[in-house]
Amino acid sequence: MEDDSSQGLTETESLKSSCEAREFIDKIEFDELKQCLFRDTLVTVSDTGKELGELCIDVQKTVHNSQLCYLIHAKSHGAIDDIPCGTSITGYVTPSFETLEQHHHEYVKLQGHNLDRKSHMVQQDGQLVVYKVTREAEEVREQTSTFPLESLCGFVSEAANLLLLRVLARRKNFPEGMKFLSFDAETQISLSTYRELGEKKQVVGNETVEVFGIERIVDAVDDIPAMWQCYFLRDGHLASRIQVGSPVMMKLLKLPERVTGDNEDDKPVFEKRPLEWEDDMQLYSKFLDRKVN
C-alpha cells in the first residue's frame, strides 16, 4: 500500500476563479434554488439505441451539522462493451455553493484488472480536507490533501456543479468567461468553464421539445480537458447528457411533471439515506479523522 500525503496550497496559488463566476454565485436568489429541488432519471444508451444503464440525480433541502444546505445525490451505473462501470456522488452544498462534505466513488470492473476510486472531502478547521483511495488491480494508493478555504473562492465541487447547472438552465443566459475552481479526475485543483450551447429540438417520448444546452469543460493538470454537454428542459430538468469522446449518451425517455414551485415543501428534509458500503465511505471518513488528528 502506498501512502502519499500532500498539501494543496501550492496548487491553487496560480489558479483563480473569474470575477464573473464569483459574482454570478453571489447573485443567485434563494427562490431560484427552491425551483431546483427535484429528481431526474435518464437512461444510458449506445449509439445504436441499446439501453445500457441509468443515471439518477436528486436534490433536496436538508440540514447537515446544524447548517441549512442541499443534499445532492447522483448515481449512474451500467455496462459499456459489457464492462460494468459506475459513479456515485453524495454532497452537502450550502446556498452559497460551498461544499460542506462530499463522497465520490467511481469504478470500472475489468476482468482481472478492476479500477476503483473513492474520495471524501470535508470542511475542517478552516480547511477543505480531501482523502482519496485508488485501487487498481492489487495496488492501493492513498492520498490526503488540505486546502485553506480562503484559497478556494469560487470552488465548485461535482455535487455543487449539478445544482449550478440547474440554475444556469433555468436562466438560459449567463456571462461568458465564467471560470470556477474545480477538481480534475486526479483530484488536482484546476479550472472549469461553462458555455452556452443555445437551443435545439429533442424528441422525448412521443413529443418534440425545445432544450437548452450548456457545455462544461474541466481542465486537467496532466491530461486533456474533460468536456460534458448537457441539454435541459425549460424548468431545469436534464434532457440529455454526453461526455465528449464517450461512446454512450444519457437521455430522458419520458417528460417529467413540470416544476412550478407552487407546491414545494419548504421544510428541510432530515434524511437518513441508507447507502451501501462502497458508496458511503464511512470508514474512510473515520480514517481521515485519525490521519488529520
Side-chain angles (χ1 to χ4, degrees):
M1 178 183 295
E2 297 182 2
D3 187 353
D4 177 21
S5 298
S6 62
Q7 296 291 320
L9 179 58
T10 56
E11 298 180 30
T12 62
E13 288 177 344
S14 60
L15 294 177
K16 302 289 183 183
S17 58
S18 66
C19 293
E20 294 85 355
R22 296 192 298 271
E23 289 175 359
F24 185 89
I25 291 292
D26 289 341
K27 293 180 180 179
I28 293 177
E29 300 288 342
F30 186 71
D31 284 346
E32 288 184 85
L33 297 176
K34 286 173 60 178
Q35 307 302 312
C36 297
L37 308 182
F38 52 83
R39 180 181 179 89
D40 279 328
T41 301
L42 286 76
V43 296
T44 304
V45 297
S46 67
D47 53 4
T48 61
K50 180 181 178 181
E51 293 188 18
L52 304 173
E54 185 180 63
L55 166 68
C56 296
I57 303 173
D58 191 30
V59 180
Q60 300 181 40
K61 192 175 179 181
T62 190
V63 173
H64 182 62
N65 292 336
S66 302
Q67 187 165 351
L68 179 67
C69 63
Y70 298 96
L71 170 62
I72 300 165
H73 185 68
K75 188 170 185 177
S76 66
H77 62 87
I80 300 176
D81 295 331
D82 296 323
I83 299 173
C85 56
T87 301
S88 176
I89 297 171
T90 300
Y92 297 90
V93 177
T94 71
S96 58
F97 284 80
E98 283 188 68
T99 299
L100 302 175
E101 186 170 3
Q102 176 184 281
H103 304 288
H104 191 179
H105 178 211
E106 299 174 286
Y107 68 87
V108 179
K109 294 184 177 180
L110 299 167
Q111 185 172 0
H113 190 89
N114 292 344
L115 175 62
D116 189 288
R117 294 192 294 196
K118 297 178 181 179
S119 67
H120 173 225
M121 69 173 67
V122 63
Q123 289 192 17
Q124 290 182 348
D125 302 323
Q127 294 183 320
L128 185 68
V129 183
V130 182
Y131 173 61
K132 180 180 177 182
V133 177
T134 302
R135 288 184 171 87
E136 188 170 2
E138 300 301 321
E139 181 184 10
V140 178
R141 299 187 300 275
E142 299 179 4
Q143 178 180 337
T144 301
S145 303
T146 58
F147 303 85
L149 292 179
E150 62 266 21
S151 72
L152 294 177
C153 185
F155 173 78
V156 172
S157 67
E158 290 305 303
N161 163 66
L162 297 173
L163 180 58
L164 178 60
L165 282 171
R166 290 183 176 184
V167 173
L168 296 176
R170 290 180 62 87
R171 287 200 181 186
K172 280 194 174 181
N173 63 75
F174 48 89
E176 293 184 6
M178 285 207 310
K179 293 182 179 292
F180 296 89
L181 293 179
S182 186
F183 283 137
D184 66 11
E186 300 301 323
T187 322
Q188 299 186 75
I189 284 291
S190 62
L191 290 174
S192 62
T193 306
Y194 294 77
R195 183 172 72 91
E196 294 182 25
L197 295 177
E199 294 185 331
K200 72 173 187 178
K201 294 186 182 298
Q202 178 178 325
V203 176
V204 179
N206 296 322
E207 299 187 50
T208 300
V209 295
E210 293 279 350
V211 293
F212 176 75
I214 301 171
E215 181 178 73
R216 182 190 184 219
I217 302 174
V218 178
D219 295 337
V221 176
D222 301 316
D223 203 347
I224 61 173
M227 184 185 305
W228 291 266
Q229 294 178 345
C230 301
Y231 283 85
F232 296 84
L233 302 177
R234 183 175 302 176
D235 61 1
H237 276 288
L238 183 61
S240 67
R241 179 182 185 270
I242 185 170
Q243 182 173 358
V244 176
S246 171
V248 303
M249 73 172 297
M250 299 168 181
K251 67 178 185 179
L252 189 64
L253 291 185
K254 179 182 178 181
L255 286 176
E257 185 175 337
R258 185 171 178 179
V259 178
T260 63
D262 295 337
N263 298 318
E264 293 289 344
D265 186 357
D266 197 31
K267 295 181 180 180
V269 176
F270 296 86
E271 182 177 3
K272 294 183 178 179
R273 181 187 296 273
L275 293 175
E276 297 177 359
W277 157 247
E278 64 268 21
D279 292 333
D280 72 5
M281 295 179 61
Q282 182 177 5
L283 180 60
Y284 296 128
S285 178
K286 292 180 180 179
F287 178 90
L288 176 61
D289 289 340
R290 293 198 301 270
K291 198 161 189 175
V292 171
N293 294 331

